[in-house]
Every structure is written in structure tokens, then in C-alpha cells.
Amino acid sequence: YLNSKLSVALKRMLNFNAPPLKNAAAEPVWKVLIYDRFGQDIISPLLSVKELRDMGITLHLLLHSDRDPIPDVPAVYFVMPTEENIDRICQDLRNQLYESYYLNFISAISRSKLEDIASAALAANAVTQVTKVYDQYLNFITLEDDMFTLCHQNKELISYHAINRADIQDTEMEAIMDTVVDSLFCFFVTLGAVPIIRCPRGNAAEMVAVKLDKKLRENLRDARNSLFTGDNMAAGQFSFQRPLFVLVDRNVDMATPLHHTWTYQALIHDVLDLQLNRVVMEEGAGADPSPTGARPKKKIRKTYDLTAADKFWQKHKGSPFPEVAESVQEELDSYRAQEDEVKHLKSIMGLEGEDDGAISMLSDNTAKLTSAVSSLPELLEKKRLIDLHTNVATAVLDHIKSRKLDVYFEYEEKLMSKSTLDKSLLDIISDPDAGTPEDKMRLFLIYYITAQQAPSEVSDLEQYKTALLDAGCDLSPLNYIKQWKAFTKMAATPANYGNSGVKPMGLFSRVMNSGSQFVMEGVKNLVLKQHNLPVTRILDNLMEMKSNPETDDYRYFDPKMLRGSERYHAIVFVVGGGNYIEYQNLVDYAKVGPLLRSHRADAELTQS
């Protein structure tokens, strides 16, 4: 839903802020698109180059690149209202680069900056060429129909590290909170809904909630110019009235972001370079060394887009990796069978003889071949997607095998669920073949965070520190987590990760045979147990209005009380950065539904 909302807003903007033409045969107005890096990041996960061309975009250029004048073409700008960007727009006006200018600002532009543009247009005698100026309120990025993030450029400025720095000044914290709130405000304007806000007390999440509540109230108070009334709401009407907006502080659960995962999308994000739904990989290097004296094989940089149109991706992105490997193999076998059928039909088309049976067979096979040829584009697209997932999954598998990520995942699940451990933590840390120094540090931090009682400073901890240092680890993350745990008093009340854990299954079936693309030998076939992570459990408490010490003290911001019987949608945002593991856990939670959750609770009560 989020993707479609933002896509509609972008397409309207690219059509000069008018509804896109419904008549497909009508010729679009040809134009150029000028964006900054922020605008590029918002558009690229949603609109392909082909879609831009279909809307009349002949060129899409970065604002600060060297651009030649195209005086007979209108230009659509999509940029942040920064000082630097405003100066460049004024320069474009002075240089008379385009026929007309449609200025769209990602966030609201201030009056002073608007006056700067007006002055530049006046000086350049280009007032009539500045056709429209719009505040688009699109300062966020949607990566899935049910997932968004605030920014990709300069994301370190609002990261967990930035918020929790020991030397952060009040003014810096205010600036970070204002940046976050501006993006969240844009999100709800695009959604066309005023949320009910819930948040914990005494942390960054509460600061965001207070500021967002104030910004929403100020906008609603100005009824004539409110972004949530009249025409502004028409485009964003939901089937429900009010979404619940749950603001969670990253400190509520520090183990999950460190956790090695086992699902496809989260694994790609963890071990490969996944940015804005695009995976960048280096291929062609090969494991074999080049012959003596020969040039080393050049690495080819390849990119793969993981889109909503990819049915395999949509079906399997949340699946355990072994299941994905089997499914890729099944898709490959199915494709090869279809390909063989086409080849077989081609070979028997050369039938000889004039008997009726031969002619009848020829006619029948002609119809089959015609059908096969008509489905060729679909078959080629299927082959492209199979190749994509074969290459991506193979790269993920290489990381799993070389770093023993299945061992890390299983051990961490046992730590978080307080299950019996089958091997010593020290053995894994000391094993030179098990993972990178970062893998070992992540494992130890999860142990430290989830332990009922932290290892004693004198003996145990020193032993672990020595092993970590010998493995090449940097101990500064441990020093931070020690301070964090002492400050949050987590030693007394460690986070509850529910009845998590994994079930080892039997040997692989299709992916273990000799014809498989995936050599899974030595990798554990682990299946995840369904359980709720802390963020999901917080949402469940608030959605179902359960009394729970975790959420009983949560603040709410809204003058309207919700009735207990009322159902509503929810948005969860983690201040300091969420991750794909929590995202998938929330998606799984949403699939279950309130009725089934209620039955499950009744069943557990009956059993007890």
C-alpha cells in the first residue's frame, strides 16, 4: 500500500502536479527531471527508467551535475530545500537552461528561501517561466508495500550512534529529532491520516512523539491550510479512520540487530550490499588462482533489483534460506523442462512423408509451437529471475559456509530463548574457521545482553576478552554494551525473546542431489519456530490493549479515546534504526490475525 501511495504522488508530480492521463494512447509531454541525491533515492525503488520514459521523462539528471541548456523543454525539479540546492536553482534560472520550471520540494520550503528564488527569477527576467512551486511532503523512502525508512543519504546523522553519543550536545539532539519528525510528518501527510501516537517514557522515542504531536496539532489548528482536511485528505482516505503509530526506542532490544539471521531478505541485507532494494555484487573473480604470469581475472560489478514485480522474491523473501535454495532449484528444473519442450517441438517439426497421420501431427505440433513461442517473453523473464536468485542465493550460501553462519544463528537462538547449549561459547570464539571477528563479537554481545547475570569482571570476562582479542576483535562495542547494560539495569530485567529457537530438520531433498546448483553439504537445515520479538510483542500489547508491564507506562498522544472493540492499523518506527529481522517478525505477526492469536492464547491457557 505504501508503494502505491508514494508512486501515485510521484506520478502526479511528474505530470506537472496534475492527475496522470488515463488514455494510454495519448502522447505525454516530454520533459527533463532534475533531482538531488535525496530525490533520486525516493524515486529509484519505485519507478523504473521505462516507467519514467512512459511519463515523458527524456532525461533524468542530478541537480549538481554539469547540465547543458535545453531551452525548448520544461524541467521538473524534485529536491530538498537546502541552501546549496536553492543556489543552484537560482543559477539555472540565470542561465536560462529550460523552457519552464516546475519546482517540487521534498520537504516544505521556508519563506526566506522562497523569496531567494523569487529574487533570482526577477533578476533573470524568468518570473513567467517558474510555472509552479510545490511542497510535496515526500521526505521518506518506501522499500516495501508495508515498510518505509527515513533517508539513505546522510543516514549516519540520525543513526543510533548519532543519538546515543556520549558527547552529544542538546542542540545536536534537537536537530536530529527535528529531522526525524519532519520525515514522519511527511509520511502521515502522504498517508492522509492523523495517527494516534504511543511511545515509552524518558528516551529519544518520547522526544520524537512530543515534537510530532506538536507539529500535527499546529497543522490541524490551521483549518484553512491544514494538510489533513478537505482536498488534501481526499487522496489519502483509508478504510479506517486512525492508524496507531508505535514509536519504539532502539534500546528496548539490542540483541536482535546483532543477531545472525536465517531468512532470505535479512541474510542478503546482512552479508551482501543491499541498498534501496538493489543488490550490488562482484562476480567473475573466481576461486581459482590465475595461471602464473596471466592477468588476474577482472571482477565484474553486477547489480540486481529486488522488486515487487518479482513473484519469487515476494513469496520467498521471508523464508528460511534452505527453503529458498530448494525453491530456486525447483524453478530452474521447471524452466529447463519448458525449454526442453520447445526444443523437442522444433526438432519434430521437420516431419517427412505425406501421410495423413504425419500432416495431422504436424498441425498439432504447429499449434503447440505457436503457443510456446507466444509464451517466450514470459519464459525469458522467468529465466532472468531464476539467474538473479541463483546468483544472489549462491553468494549468500558462500558466506554461510565460509563463516559457519548456520552455527552462529542456531547458537544465538538458543542464547535468546534460554535453551540448553550444546557447545561452549569460548570454543566458537576460539575456532579460527568459524566466522569473522565481527561475527564473534556479535555472538558474544548477544550472550552478554541476554545473560541473566553478566560474566564476572575478574575471571570469566577476562577469559572471554582474551579470546576475542586473539580472534582479532575490537573490544570497544563490548565496552559500550557494558555501560549500556549498567545504565538500563538490564541485568535485573533482561529482554524477553519469547519461545524462540530453531528446529533442525532432516537432510535436504532437491538441493542435495548431484544436479543441484547449490552444494548445501555441511550446512544445517534449520527451521524457525514462530515467536514474537520484543518490538512485535509491544505492538501486540498495544493493538490488543493487553495489560503488560512492558507497555502499561506508554504515553499516548491524541484527544480521541479508542473504543476497546475498534480495530485499527499500525505503523511501527524504531528510533535509532530497525532491521529486516524485526520487519519480517512483524509481517509474520500481522499474517496471523487477532482471532487466531486469541485462539492460540486460549489453547495455551487450556494446556497449562
Side-chain angles (χ1 to χ4, degrees):
Y1 185 83
L2 290 179
N3 279 351
S4 61
K5 289 287 292 183
L6 193 51
S7 291
V8 167
L10 289 171
K11 286 175 181 177
R12 185 184 178 96
M13 178 193 78
L14 295 172
N15 195 44
F16 307 120
N17 287 292
L21 296 169
K22 291 183 179 176
N23 183 2
E27 189 80 3
V29 177
W30 299 109
K31 57 190 92 76
V32 297
L33 170 63
I34 312 298
Y35 47 39
D36 61 2
R37 293 285 183 192
F38 288 90
Q40 185 181 37
D41 290 344
I42 294 165
I43 291 171
S44 63
L46 292 175
L47 301 176
S48 65
V49 173
K50 182 186 180 301
E51 286 176 295
L52 290 175
R53 197 178 298 117
D54 291 343
M55 286 180 280
I57 303 295
T58 54
L59 277 173
H60 40 96
L61 303 165
L62 282 166
L63 176 65
H64 293 282
S65 62
D66 293 327
R67 290 173 281 118
D68 295 324
I70 314 176
D72 55 346
V73 172
V76 176
Y77 285 70
F78 184 50
V79 298
M80 287 291 282
T82 63
E83 201 76 51
E84 189 183 17
N85 287 350
I86 301 300
D87 289 346
R88 189 57 188 259
I89 291 169
C90 293
Q91 185 182 322
D92 289 356
L93 292 171
R94 286 192 293 272
N95 294 340
Q96 300 282 301
L97 288 189
Y98 308 111
E99 177 193 69
S100 54
Y101 302 82
Y102 293 80
L103 306 180
N104 298 277
F105 294 102
I106 297 168
S107 285
I109 184 171
S110 66
R111 185 175 181 84
S112 64
K113 286 174 183 168
L114 205 53
E115 287 170 355
D116 291 343
I117 294 172
S119 299
L122 200 61
N125 197 26
V127 173
T128 56
Q129 290 171 276
V130 180
T131 312
K132 288 181 179 177
V133 180
Y134 272 89
D135 290 331
Q136 289 293 345
Y137 295 100
L138 298 176
N139 190 17
F140 62 96
I141 301 167
T142 64
L143 298 176
E144 305 280 347
D145 265 341
D146 49 6
M147 182 185 184
F148 74 102
T149 184
L150 296 195
C151 67
H152 182 62
Q153 300 296 321
N154 304 332
K155 59 186 175 185
E156 67 282 353
L157 299 179
I158 58 168
S159 65
Y160 177 85
H161 176 262
I163 294 168
N164 292 277
R165 273 182 17 237
D167 60 346
I168 190 167
Q169 302 296 312
D170 289 349
T171 51
E172 292 175 304
M173 183 60 112
E174 286 289 321
I176 292 170
M177 297 298 105
D178 287 342
T179 302
V180 171
V181 168
D182 177 70
S183 289
L184 292 175
F185 180 78
C186 290
F187 173 80
F188 285 108
V189 170
T190 305
L191 216 55
V194 181
I196 291 148
I197 305 167
R198 300 298 305 272
C199 73
R201 297 174 185 270
N203 51 32
E206 184 181 26
M207 292 175 70
V208 170
V210 169
K211 282 179 172 286
L212 180 61
D213 177 63
K214 183 184 176 187
K215 196 172 177 92
L216 289 166
R217 286 177 187 276
E218 285 173 354
N219 190 266
L220 289 167
R221 199 177 294 129
D222 184 3
R224 196 170 62 173
N225 297 309
S226 174
L227 297 161
F228 297 96
T229 56
D231 294 338
N232 296 311
M233 281 292 282
Q237 283 297 342
F238 268 10
S239 58
F240 57 89
Q241 290 299 306
R242 311 291 300 282
L244 171 68
F245 183 42
V246 182
L247 270 160
V248 185
D249 196 277
R250 176 69 278 163
N251 285 306
V252 78
D253 171 18
M254 290 292 281
T256 301
L258 296 166
H259 186 20
H260 290 85
T261 183
W262 200 235
T263 54
Y264 192 31
Q265 185 179 37
L267 264 170
I268 292 170
H269 184 254
D270 190 9
V271 303
L272 302 180
D273 181 15
L274 174 63
Q275 307 281 352
L276 302 178
N277 294 345
R278 177 169 290 174
V279 185
V280 180
M281 298 192 325
E282 288 187 338
E283 295 179 354
D288 301 325
S290 301
T292 309
R295 280 186 180 179
K297 291 179 183 176
K298 189 178 179 183
K299 290 186 179 182
I300 301 169
R301 196 174 164 85
K302 283 204 166 188
T303 61
Y304 299 104
D305 290 321
L306 303 170
T307 67
D310 182 345
K311 290 179 181 175
F312 184 90
W313 173 247
Q314 291 304 310
K315 183 178 178 182
H316 292 291
K317 64 188 177 186
S319 302
F321 183 77
E323 190 180 307
V324 173
E326 289 197 21
S327 299
V328 172
Q329 189 62 45
E330 286 168 11
E331 290 284 324
L332 190 57
D333 292 346
S334 167
Y335 167 78
R336 282 173 177 165
Q338 288 177 276
E339 193 179 42
D340 289 345
E341 186 184 352
V342 174
K343 286 177 182 174
H344 178 63
L345 286 168
K346 282 180 178 177
S347 69
I348 61 176
M349 286 300 283
L351 283 168
E352 294 178 5
E354 299 296 328
D355 62 294
D356 291 344
I359 291 169
S360 171
M361 195 179 288
L362 180 67
S363 173
D364 183 43
N365 284 323
T366 301
K368 284 182 179 177
L369 187 61
T370 303
S371 172
V373 169
S374 67
S375 65
L376 202 57
E378 188 181 330
L379 202 61
L380 289 170
E381 176 62 10
K382 186 175 183 180
K383 176 68 165 63
R384 184 186 72 81
L385 293 175
I386 290 169
D387 287 346
L388 184 161
H389 289 289
T390 301
N391 292 339
V392 171
T394 301
V396 170
L397 179 59
D398 288 345
H399 280 274
I400 291 172
K401 292 171 76 172
S402 66
R403 293 162 57 184
K404 297 187 179 179
L405 296 183
D406 51 337
V407 174
Y408 278 92
F409 168 69
E410 185 180 27
Y411 200 89
E412 288 164 5
E413 283 284 314
K414 288 178 178 177
L415 284 172
M416 292 165 77
S417 61
K418 307 289 190 292
S419 302
T420 306
L421 303 174
D422 56 354
K423 63 170 73 176
S424 158
L425 176 63
L426 212 53
D427 288 347
I428 300 177
I429 294 171
S430 304
D431 183 353
D433 298 323
T436 63
E438 185 183 281
D439 292 328
K440 296 174 193 292
M441 179 53 76
R442 284 166 64 176
L443 171 64
F444 184 73
L445 290 178
I446 289 170
Y447 162 69
Y448 194 89
I449 289 166
T450 57
Q452 291 280 5
Q453 191 170 352
S456 65
E457 190 74 42
V458 181
S459 55
D460 296 351
L461 192 59
E462 283 305 315
Q463 193 179 7
Y464 285 120
K465 279 183 176 181
T466 303
L468 289 166
L469 285 169
D470 289 345
C473 296
D474 175 5
L475 294 185
S476 51
L478 174 58
N479 296 332
Y480 175 79
I481 289 295
K482 278 173 63 182
Q483 293 174 341
W484 169 83
K485 189 163 184 173
F487 180 73
T488 55
K489 299 178 182 173
M490 288 291 288
T493 55
N496 177 13
Y497 292 91
N499 184 26
S500 62
V502 289
K503 292 182 285 185
M505 301 299 285
L507 290 174
F508 295 99
S509 52
R510 302 184 67 86
V511 294
M512 287 299 281
N513 66 40
S514 57
S516 172
Q517 292 287 312
F518 302 98
V519 183
M520 301 289 284
E521 192 173 356
V523 177
K524 296 186 179 186
N525 190 1
L526 303 169
V527 177
L528 288 77
K529 288 182 185 175
Q530 184 61 44
H531 67 286
N532 287 342
L533 292 170
V535 169
T536 307
R537 203 169 54 248
I538 286 166
L539 175 66
D540 183 48
N541 291 340
L542 296 171
M543 286 288 280
E544 305 299 330
M545 299 181 191
K546 297 175 181 175
S547 178
N548 190 292
E550 260 183 323
T551 51
D552 286 347
D553 198 36
Y554 266 49
R555 292 187 67 181
Y556 73 90
F557 297 84
D558 197 82
K560 177 187 171 187
M561 291 292 290
L562 287 173
R563 296 188 303 278
S565 60
E566 192 168 343
R567 290 269 163 234
Y568 44 88
H569 284 60
I571 297 104
V572 181
F573 181 78
V574 183
V575 179
N579 60 74
Y580 279 104
I581 308 174
E582 289 165 325
Y583 161 64
Q584 189 59 50
N585 197 247
L586 287 164
V587 169
D588 293 341
Y589 166 81
K591 285 176 185 172
V592 174
L595 191 62
L596 193 55
R597 285 196 293 271
S598 174
H599 287 327
R600 186 189 288 165
D602 290 344
E604 286 175 359
L605 191 64
T606 306
Q607 286 168 8
S608 64

